[in-house]
Amino acid sequence: MATRRDFYDDAQWERFLDFSKNLETPCLIIDLEIIKRNYIDLKKQFPYATVFYAVKSNPAKEVIELLRDLDSNFDIASIYELDKVLSLGVKPERLSYGNTIKRTKDIKYFYERGVRLFATDSKADLQNIAKYAPASKVFVRILVEGSETADWPLSKKFGCHPDMAYNLIVEAKELGLDPYGISFHVGSQQRDIGQWDEAIAKTRYLFTALEEEENIRLKMINMGGGFPAHYMQKANDLSDYAQEITRYLKEDFPYDFPEIILEPGRSLVGDSGVLVSEVILISRKNNTALHRWVYVDVGKFNGLIETLDESIKYPVFTEQDFNGKLGDVILAGPTCDSQDIMYEKLKYQLPLNLVVGDRLYWLSTGAYTSSYCSVEFNGFPPMKAYFLPLKQD
Ligand SMILES: *Cc1c(COP(=O)(O)O)cnc(C)c1O
């Protein structure tokens, strides 16, 4: 069984504990230093890529400012994200409108504020872009496999068949847009690196066919996100991803290496967060039950939505590394919705001497948590987030 040291070393852990000691639970502590380290590492692993941070994974001002200062670009999904990022001084040339589902008036809004890079995956959306964001660069998102091996799949809803992508690129040119490239997303927390191989091969086919048959020379591949954060189920290191994916690219594009965009969310910010919760109740449902129910003050509706279907398995620890005996628990949240159970099939192990009032720490919760909180379900407010500042050099 994994221990806390598999995720944070003692110094790092002390930093989290010290900082959170006197804070009310539930709360999320984000260590900006970890995001900075992850960003620098990503740039080192993929030196040829341009990074567009997927703002949705953690839209906090502090995170956006940090990545702004590290020269990141930003992948934006709505006018609200757009306003926020622009208000923090990011120039529109550093932004893409990556959501393929857009209201026409929002396309116009983005265009008027200077954004010139748009994703699409349908004819209707493409025509709207041509009309409300004339001459902009567009990239077409293709459907890819990968839902079996991604912990949080993004397939099906987005992207189109490569044959349709071909037609959309041709039409983009006819409509006076700049047909710029192809994008895909192999699914978030994608554990099978080979999924990029297949997606890149499909992209290669489109680059070749469009050049040979239509004389359209695409320039860019947007390889989306999907890179891992550290959860209970192990994933390869980012360096393994980089090495393999770079090889696929070189094999498929030996003479015409394209511009590469990455849109990481989870892998940049996931590991930066520790969610601090408190045990509210411990019970058993019958006199001989082998497992305890442990109810905490955080749940699916205030931060842990990605435990749906037990998809993301966060490391959960008490303050001390376990030295006593452990027993099976079902972990559930505080609301009056019976869906508000985080882990039931997979039995987490917590100390037998756990008592009400103890704190449980949910590790690697920097991505897709605070922004997913409900506003007032059962009256519970969204979780508060706090930021550990960068260390001074
Ligand atoms: C959510 C999203 C991402 C981020 O994916 P991660 O797996 O969190 O890195 C990137 N691109 C698009 C278009 C997305 O919707």
Side-chain angles (χ1 to χ4, degrees):
M1 174 136 176
T3 72
R4 186 266 303 157
R5 284 199 181 86
D6 295 324
F7 301 93
Y8 300 116
D9 64 25
D10 289 348
Q12 180 65 59
W13 185 239
E14 287 304 321
R15 211 162 122 83
F16 277 120
L17 286 184
D18 258 13
F19 188 84
S20 63
K21 217 167 32 208
N22 298 317
L23 298 174
E24 285 277 318
T25 65
C27 65
L28 179 66
I29 320 288
I30 297 282
D31 186 345
L32 294 172
E33 193 67 38
I34 294 180
I35 302 178
K36 180 177 172 183
R37 188 189 70 200
N38 287 344
Y39 182 85
I40 290 170
D41 186 45
L42 183 73
K43 293 290 287 186
K44 195 176 106 201
Q45 301 292 343
F46 291 95
Y48 50 83
T50 310
V51 175
F52 281 68
Y53 170 58
V55 173
K56 74 170 189 287
S57 59
N58 189 327
K61 173 173 151 287
E62 290 80 356
V63 174
I64 294 169
E65 285 171 340
L66 169 70
L67 291 169
R68 173 199 68 197
D69 296 344
L70 291 169
D71 283 333
S72 181
N73 302 282
F74 297 87
D75 178 48
I76 309 285
S78 70
I79 55 171
Y80 310 103
E81 284 184 356
L82 176 66
D83 284 345
K84 185 168 190 179
V85 171
L86 289 176
S87 76
L88 296 173
V90 181
K91 295 270 173 288
E93 303 85 65
R94 288 166 66 183
L95 308 180
S96 68
Y97 193 173
N99 194 343
T100 56
I101 302 157
K102 325 177 186 69
R103 300 189 299 191
T104 50
K105 65 177 175 188
D106 293 351
I107 297 173
K108 192 157 170 270
Y109 192 92
F110 272 70
Y111 183 77
E112 284 168 358
R113 278 153 191 78
V115 176
R116 294 293 179 270
L117 183 58
F118 293 77
T120 193
D121 63 4
S122 69
K123 201 173 164 87
D125 181 58
L126 180 72
Q127 289 172 348
N128 284 334
I129 296 171
K131 190 160 169 197
Y132 295 103
S136 292
K137 289 176 178 168
V138 287
F139 54 93
V140 177
R141 180 157 169 183
I142 56 170
L143 267 172
V144 290
E145 309 297 322
S147 56
E148 295 291 311
T149 45
D151 288 349
W152 194 259
L154 290 168
S155 38
K156 254 178 28 193
K157 182 171 171 184
F158 309 102
C160 61
H161 188 279
D163 292 346
M164 179 178 270
Y166 182 101
N167 295 339
L168 292 174
I169 289 286
V170 172
E171 186 169 353
K173 189 177 175 200
E174 286 164 7
L175 291 169
L177 292 163
D178 179 0
Y180 202 63
I182 300 296
S183 75
F184 55 78
H185 194 306
V186 294
S188 201
Q189 191 72 8
Q190 176 57 262
R191 279 177 283 102
D192 176 15
I193 305 177
Q195 295 301 326
W196 275 270
D197 196 10
E198 291 182 34
I200 291 166
K202 286 181 180 164
T203 308
R204 170 74 266 183
Y205 152 79
L206 282 167
F207 270 60
T208 304
L210 282 157
E211 173 143 32
E212 286 175 0
E213 293 158 25
E214 305 287 341
N215 201 23
I216 296 176
R217 208 167 166 174
L218 296 175
K219 299 181 195 70
M220 182 275 283
I221 305 177
N222 178 337
M223 301 200 292
F227 306 102
H230 293 89
Y231 301 119
M232 290 303 261
Q233 190 169 10
K234 250 188 109 44
N236 281 94
D237 290 337
L238 185 68
S239 56
D240 301 326
Y241 282 73
Q243 204 176 6
E244 288 297 295
I245 292 169
T246 303
R247 184 166 62 79
Y248 307 147
L249 283 168
K250 284 186 174 157
E251 277 170 11
D252 278 340
F253 294 87
Y255 309 113
D256 52 349
F257 200 86
E259 233 177 83
I260 298 292
I261 284 179
L262 299 178
E263 292 177 334
R266 189 184 302 280
S267 63
L268 281 185
V269 298
D271 298 345
S272 74
V274 170
L275 204 170
V276 188
S277 68
E278 193 177 287
V279 176
I280 304 173
L281 179 71
I282 303 174
S283 67
R284 292 180 196 259
K285 298 288 182 192
N286 68 60
N287 292 332
T288 54
L290 292 170
H291 54 262
R292 295 157 294 164
W293 281 73
V294 173
Y295 300 90
V296 293
D297 57 2
V298 67
K300 271 209 171 73
F301 303 101
N302 56 346
L304 298 175
I305 194 73
E306 287 200 324
T307 60
L308 265 174
D309 296 329
E310 308 192 11
S311 301
I312 297 293
K313 297 180 180 70
Y314 296 105
V316 181
F317 295 110
T318 51
E319 183 161 335
Q320 301 303 325
D321 252 353
F322 308 146
N323 33 29
K325 278 198 147 183
L326 304 176
D328 286 354
V329 299
I330 293 175
L331 271 168
T335 68
C336 301
D337 188 312
S338 64
Q339 285 293 324
D340 195 7
I341 299 170
M342 284 75 84
Y343 303 114
E344 185 175 12
K345 281 207 299 284
L346 177 67
K347 296 289 186 303
Y348 272 59
Q349 301 250 305
L350 289 175
L352 288 175
N353 62 2
L354 187 77
V355 293
V356 168
D358 281 352
R359 287 187 164 194
L360 289 189
Y361 298 85
W362 301 69
L363 279 48
S364 302
T365 42
Y368 305 114
T369 49
S370 49
S371 59
Y372 263 141
C373 291
S374 67
V375 175
E376 204 183 314
F377 183 50
N378 271 169
F380 291 107
M383 178 172 52
K384 281 216 176 73
Y386 300 90
F387 297 85
L388 276 166
L390 294 180
K391 292 178 190 151
Q392 303 300 327
D393 309 308

